[in-house]
Amino acid sequence: MLQNREISRATLGRIPSYLQYLRALPPEIQNISATTIAKELGLGEVQVRKDLSCISGAGKPKIGYNAAGLADSLETYLSCENGGAVIVGAGKLGRALLDYSGFAGYGLDILAAFDQAVTEEEKSDMGKRILPMDSLEAFCRTQPVQIGIIAVPAGEAQRVCSRLVENHIRAIWSFAPCSLTVPPDIAIQYENMGLALAHLKIQIK
Amino acid sequence: MLQNREISRATLGRIPSYLQYLRALPPEIQNISATTIAKELGLGEVQVRKDLSCISGAGKPKIGYNAAGLADSLETYLSCENGGAVIVGAGKLGRALLDYSGFAGYGLDILAAFDQAVTEEEKSDMGKRILPMDSLEAFCRTQPVQIGIIAVPAGEAQRVCSRLVENHIRAIWSFAPCSLTVPPDIAIQYENMGLALAHLKIQIK
């Protein structure tokens, strides 16, 4: 799994920019220095060195990093070595998340969505699978599912959460506006849209 | 406007719980102590006292707060005294946000969504207005719009952002995966779904 779990959210947030920049370099550029990357992305050089050394070790003195090798390390770091995510709840929010294009840049794969109102397999606009709720167990047995995303109303969220945990999900990302109980070895993160918007509102000058 | 801009995100996050609890009290309960509120909501008493005193001053010794008065203060604090929000981009995410029920508990009002692909006014499933992009100016002149929510692709986001600022929006909440430039007196907050999910992933034990 991941070599270094202590990587900060800020570092993680910069990886896609590094990756995007490196992948866009012309093929004749084989080596690249942290100094150049920092300059091109408008970041501090110390920060860039620190970020890259967390993931890919230090560059060679006077030469820097092999550009393709560095990009591969970053992509490996981000990619779903241990599986992707499923969404439970294929309402508006669930479907928006299922087809959201911004996950791929972070090496995150949404495998499918599940909904109790769905009786036969459907496809989202982007061709992703939307499955009946009762196929969750079989899916989780056969697919590398690591993360469960909860996009159901608050009243159903705990039941869904427990069912995901029973299916060996390792982490829960919940959009339901309520607290959930999970075993201590399961990571949980809440996305509170109301709170985020309220927080912006109090910042208004 | 708001009396205290220094209120923490954590305090703000608890206001809806206080409000929900107070509004559900039987009418014969006129006064309520911070101790009771803390106990009922499973929070620390010191924390509750601190939260409430930020917004509504201290309760009376031995009596506590007038329950209805406290609820009113909290609601006023949360409510959109200076107007609501508009969404630009009525794709899946924009429509999910437009009909999201979790904003109301934070006193936030989404007034309408705008989209360049919309030629005539539409209604969302929840009856909210979805308007053509070229009616944004007239809407902002006549409605109390304070916050602009950007739910368009990255390539269109800066143009939309500038147009919102020209229309006297005071704060921007962007779901587009890119940085935006705004004047220094405009508050801006980014919602990076990919980053949030990536962060959860690295927490997996």
Side-chain angles (χ1 to χ4, degrees), chain B residues 115-185:
Chain B
D115 198 292
Q116 61 179 12
V118 169
T119 51
E120 272 186 43
E121 177 165 347
E122 297 174 14
K123 293 275 193 225
S124 74
D125 296 343
M126 302 294 281
K128 297 260 186 177
R129 300 174 76 188
I130 304 172
L131 299 164
M133 196 61 203
D134 59 17
S135 57
L136 180 70
E137 281 69 23
F139 191 92
C140 290
R141 266 198 309 273
T142 55
Q143 302 288 321
V145 184
Q146 191 183 36
I147 296 174
I149 300 174
I150 298 180
V152 298
E156 294 168 40
Q158 182 60 57
R159 198 176 43 76
V160 163
C161 177
S162 301
R163 191 158 160 190
L164 286 165
V165 171
E166 280 161 23
N167 281 286
H168 310 294
I169 290 268
R170 308 297 306 148
I172 297 285
W173 192 27
S174 178
F175 286 79
C178 60
S179 287
L180 298 170
T181 305
V182 291
D185 60 332

Side-chain angles (χ1 to χ4, degrees), chain A residues 1 5 9 13 83 92 99 103 106 108 125 146 184 189 191-193 195-196 199 201 203-205, chain B residues 1 5 9 13 83 92 99 103 106 108 125 146 184 189 191-193 195-196 199 201 203-205:
Chain A
M1 221 161 103
R5 288 156 212 271
R9 184 154 181 163
K92 275 202 210 62
D99 282 349
F103 292 131
Y106 289 83
L108 299 163
D125 295 344
Q146 191 183 36
Q189 186 168 290
E191 208 62 39
N192 187 329
M193 297 292 208
L195 179 56
H199 186 242
K201 200 173 156 74
Q203 288 172 51
I204 291 176
K205 292 161 191 126
Chain B
M1 224 159 99
R5 288 157 212 271
R9 185 152 181 162
K92 275 202 211 63
D99 281 350
F103 293 130
Y106 289 83
L108 299 163
D125 296 343
Q146 191 183 36
Q189 185 168 290
E191 208 62 39
N192 187 330
M193 297 292 207
L195 179 56
H199 185 243
K201 200 174 157 71
Q203 288 172 52
I204 290 176
K205 293 163 191 123

Side-chain angles (χ1 to χ4, degrees), chain B residues 25-102:
Chain B
L25 286 174
E28 60 269 24
I29 297 186
Q30 294 200 335
N31 296 311
I32 188 115
S33 68
T35 314
T36 307
I37 297 175
K39 204 174 157 186
E40 291 292 325
L41 296 177
L43 296 169
E45 195 178 323
V46 173
Q47 191 175 64
V48 172
R49 274 183 206 289
K50 213 173 138 188
D51 287 348
L52 299 181
S53 70
C54 278
I55 294 155
S56 198
K60 284 185 195 154
K62 313 245 174 191
I63 294 175
Y65 289 92
N66 174 277
L70 179 58
D72 289 346
S73 306
L74 293 170
E75 196 170 286
T76 303
Y77 187 86
L78 283 180
S79 73
C80 294
E81 285 177 22
N82 292 292
V86 293
I87 296 169
V88 179
K92 275 202 211 63
L93 180 64
R95 283 169 197 252
L97 292 169
L98 184 63
D99 281 350
Y100 181 65
S101 59

Side-chain angles (χ1 to χ4, degrees), chain A residues 88-100:
Chain A
V88 179
K92 275 202 210 62
L93 180 63
R95 282 167 198 254
L97 292 169
L98 184 62
D99 282 349
Y100 181 65

